[in-house]
Amino acid sequence: MQVNMRSISGTKKGHGVDSAYNDLVRLLERGGEFQVLKNTDSLTDILHLHTVDLKSLRLIRHFHKRGKGVVITCHMMEDSLDGSLSLPKFVVKYFGKYLYYFYRQGDRLVVVNPYYREELISKGLDPAKVSFIPNYADERLFFEVNEEKKAALRRELDLPLKAPVIVSSGQIQRRKGFDDFVACAQLNPDYLFVWVGGFSFGRLSDGYDTYRAIVADPPQNMRFPGIVDREVVAEYLQASDLFFLASFQELFPMSLLEAAKCGLPILLRDIPLYPGILFGHYYRATDVQSFSDWIRRICQDEAARRKGIEDARRLASIYSETAIYKQWKALYEELRPGRTTV
């Protein structure tokens, strides 16, 4: 089966949509049952869109006229712009209207968490068309390493061999809880805090001016490697002791999956999304002081550390290559004969 996979996420590096798109392409190619054509106008069995621009809209009409099925992965909702990009409210409002119009054109809509399935249904989209298939992090890039390899990576990355290393990754934005990450670093000067990522959308990134100043002149116990290749992201995760993400809003963070595949204990803000996708296999807190308390406990208490590692392994198993591939195969097979109406 041929799949035309379209995304322009690669024009901006260092964000989750681009990672999710590339990992899905590799997953399908390795399965051996799909021929994936990337960013082409060619007519294939399935059109799978990750980008909501006008060219994608034209492709939908082109495929539908010829009886072909269209899948749209819904990487964003209207509220995901809040705290991510500094945009006028009227722009966000009208973009939201366009976004849901665009989603209505798909034969199948894929959301990366069950919470947003309910949101799409509340906007009037057909429940039969909306499926939950989580993101997938490439297991050939993100995997556990032993203590010897971990020490070697720390030397290679110029990280301390003894001090605990707390890592986060992704875009630097207000929504990602960057302020709390910095505050926790200030409360724990004997720990090293590393944020791998940067300002993928430049000055449009919410909080850019304030955060840019911190990145340019960081506290002594903070590092900002910037936007790096994903192989390097994996190395920072493998060299660290704890993954800490204080986001206020997420869809299904790729960085979290990547950390789980690397066997890192995971500490997150307690938000409504996570119980339905992580099933309790993570540590949670609500404010800077409780984050800081958990950071020290996980790094100092062997039982807490071991539990965090086991939780990460359970998540890695739930969101394994085999499990996610089966879900995509089943979805594509539903549309194989051509356009299907439900």
Side-chain angles (χ1 to χ4, degrees), residues 56-117:
S56 291
L57 203 57
R58 290 195 295 270
L59 279 173
I60 291 172
R61 291 165 181 165
H62 176 63
F63 271 66
H64 277 170
K65 284 180 181 178
R66 288 152 182 82
K68 303 293 185 177
V70 175
V71 176
I72 302 172
T73 294
C74 306
H75 287 289
M76 67 175 72
M77 300 291 166
E78 184 178 356
D79 66 351
S80 60
L81 295 177
D82 186 26
S84 297
L85 301 177
S86 295
L87 297 171
K89 289 185 178 180
F90 78 90
V91 173
V92 174
K93 177 182 177 181
Y94 284 105
F95 178 76
K97 291 181 181 295
Y98 168 78
L99 188 66
Y100 296 120
Y101 167 78
F102 185 95
Y103 288 160
R104 287 188 178 91
Q105 311 312 306
D107 298 301
R108 292 293 185 275
L109 303 175
V110 175
V111 293
V112 296
N113 70 61
Y115 181 84
Y116 282 110
R117 182 177 188 275

Side-chain angles (χ1 to χ4, degrees), residues 60-283:
I60 291 172
R61 291 165 181 165
H62 176 63
F63 271 66
H64 277 170
K65 284 180 181 178
R66 288 152 182 82
K68 303 293 185 177
V70 175
V71 176
I72 302 172
T73 294
C74 306
H75 287 289
M76 67 175 72
M77 300 291 166
E78 184 178 356
D79 66 351
S80 60
L81 295 177
D82 186 26
S84 297
L85 301 177
S86 295
L87 297 171
K89 289 185 178 180
F90 78 90
V91 173
V92 174
K93 177 182 177 181
Y94 284 105
F95 178 76
K97 291 181 181 295
Y98 168 78
L99 188 66
Y100 296 120
Y101 167 78
F102 185 95
Y103 288 160
R104 287 188 178 91
Q105 311 312 306
D107 298 301
R108 292 293 185 275
L109 303 175
V110 175
V111 293
V112 296
N113 70 61
Y115 181 84
Y116 282 110
R117 182 177 188 275
E118 298 307 314
E119 177 164 331
L120 287 180
I121 293 170
S122 74
K123 298 291 185 180
L125 281 87
D126 185 348
K129 291 185 176 182
V130 186
S131 301
F132 162 48
I133 302 180
N135 284 330
Y136 162 75
D138 193 335
E139 295 166 8
R140 302 188 188 190
L141 276 178
F142 299 93
F143 52 87
E144 287 190 61
V145 299
N146 59 30
E147 290 300 317
E148 182 180 356
K149 177 62 175 176
K150 181 176 178 178
L153 285 171
R154 287 201 176 193
R155 285 189 288 269
E156 181 182 324
L157 298 169
D158 194 26
L159 301 175
L161 292 178
K162 299 294 185 181
V165 177
I166 315 304
V167 67
S168 194
S169 61
Q171 296 184 68
I172 296 178
Q173 300 171 333
R174 198 178 309 279
R175 174 177 67 89
K176 292 287 186 178
F178 185 74
D179 294 289
D180 285 0
F181 189 82
V182 174
C184 284
Q186 293 170 338
L187 287 176
N188 297 277
D190 50 336
Y191 289 12
L192 180 66
F193 286 72
V194 180
W195 189 294
V196 186
F199 304 98
S200 297
F201 296 92
R203 291 188 174 276
L204 284 177
S205 301
D206 193 26
Y208 175 83
D209 290 332
T210 300
Y211 299 154
R212 183 64 183 167
I214 296 172
V215 171
D217 185 21
Q220 190 172 0
N221 68 325
M222 296 196 77
R223 300 269 185 90
F224 297 101
I227 297 173
V228 297
D229 291 338
R230 292 187 74 214
E231 291 82 359
V232 180
V233 175
E235 290 177 348
Y236 273 102
L237 291 170
Q238 291 161 344
S240 298
D241 297 295
L242 169 66
F243 178 79
F244 168 38
L245 183 66
S247 291
F248 293 93
Q249 189 274 345
E250 288 286 356
L251 272 77
F252 197 131
M254 284 294 293
S255 58
L256 188 159
L257 285 176
E258 293 162 357
K261 295 290 175 75
C262 292
L264 279 182
I266 293 168
L267 174 62
L268 305 169
R269 188 180 301 279
D270 190 8
I271 60 176
L273 166 67
Y274 292 137
I277 62 173
L278 302 182
F279 316 109
H281 300 311
Y282 63 106
Y283 290 109

Side-chain angles (χ1 to χ4, degrees), residues 294-313:
W294 270 114
I295 288 168
R296 298 198 76 84
R297 179 176 174 184
I298 295 165
C299 291
Q300 294 176 4
D301 183 335
E302 180 63 16
R305 187 183 76 88
R306 291 304 311 174
K307 179 184 181 302
I309 292 172
E310 290 304 316
D311 280 338
R313 289 171 177 167

Side-chain angles (χ1 to χ4, degrees), residues 1-5 25 28-29 32-38 44-46:
M1 184 188 302
Q2 283 190 331
V3 179
N4 185 345
M5 192 85 70
V25 169
L28 295 174
E29 289 176 337
E33 298 176 90
F34 302 98
Q35 181 185 3
V36 182
L37 281 64
K38 293 177 284 188
T44 55
D45 298 301
I46 302 288

